[in-house]
Amino acid sequence: MKINISKYLAYLFLIVVSVIWLVPLIFGLTTSFRSQTEVVTAGFRMLPVNWVVENYASIFSDTSSAPILQWIGNSIFIAVTHTLLVVIVISITGYGYSRMNFKGRDVLFFTLLAISFFPNVVNLIPSYKIIETLGWVNTPWAMIVPGLAGMGNIFLVRQFMKNVPKELDESARVDGASDFQIYARIILPAIKPILIVCGLFSFVGSWNDFLWPVIVYTDVEKMPVTAGLLLLQDIYGNYRMIGQLMGSAILAIIPTVLLFFFAQKYFVQSLDLNSGIKG
């Protein structure tokens, strides 16, 4: 029997990657059930000697210095609002770049796409000055509005949309449909898979953003969870309560994990540029 070496190498690679990803996650989960004494004295152990729930009890009871549940609620509001607006903006923008003809369309698109390759850190100071001028410091809008028109998402939507036959547009125009009706009734249903994937990327990106919220938030109660967890350090940069921190981190990743389970089937559909077209 012929052995498919490449197949076994692929499986080996996937197993190694899975172990690299899962071990820290499992260790963080089990650490959230250790007492602070065990964390300090026991060293590295994958499983706790004594399982305790006091870390999670502290998370739910300590709402003054570390309102973790409120931070998670802030993150949910910011990420959901940002994602919904991203889907609206990139779908309309993709429609304009793929369906509407105007002078300099492609030049403008590829110029903006090239500019988007600059690292985001270059824009931190200008972005903060704009947010400060608008009076959005310490408000959710400081995180919701920036990044709505990400060129990476617009590029994906534009490429997906270009594979929707333009004959559908022409037939609709013959029937008297406007550009908005074509966009809403023909294009949006056809590009749903790529919009869900882009929405997922936007949600996770907004949820996991750390540097920007640390800059634009100083009010503890209004912080998202990524910036708030930083406050669990002492003045020397050491984490005071490792178990509580791990428990907070586990709670913080639950929304993104659930979202991935919901949207995973759309990843495969998004790889097929014709998946939105019914035969």
Side-chain angles (χ1 to χ4, degrees), residues 203-253:
F203 183 94
V204 174
S206 176
W207 186 275
N208 291 335
D209 193 4
F210 173 75
L211 179 59
W212 181 241
V214 168
I215 294 174
V216 297
Y217 281 97
T218 56
D219 190 330
V220 173
E221 293 186 352
K222 296 180 180 179
M223 288 181 174
V225 67
T226 49
L229 291 179
L230 184 65
L231 299 181
L232 296 180
Q233 294 183 118
D234 62 20
I235 61 175
Y236 300 105
N238 300 314
Y239 290 105
R240 300 189 297 267
M241 301 298 293
I242 301 296
Q244 185 176 343
L245 175 66
M246 291 298 179
S248 304
I250 294 299
L251 292 177
I253 68 174

Side-chain angles (χ1 to χ4, degrees), residues 111-143:
T111 299
L112 293 175
L113 186 63
I115 293 174
S116 69
F117 282 98
F118 288 98
N120 291 332
V121 68
V122 175
N123 299 320
L124 284 180
I125 295 178
S127 296
Y128 182 82
K129 293 300 295 182
I130 293 173
I131 295 299
E132 186 180 38
T133 301
L134 294 173
W136 288 352
V137 176
N138 276 322
T139 69
W141 298 111
M143 288 192 63

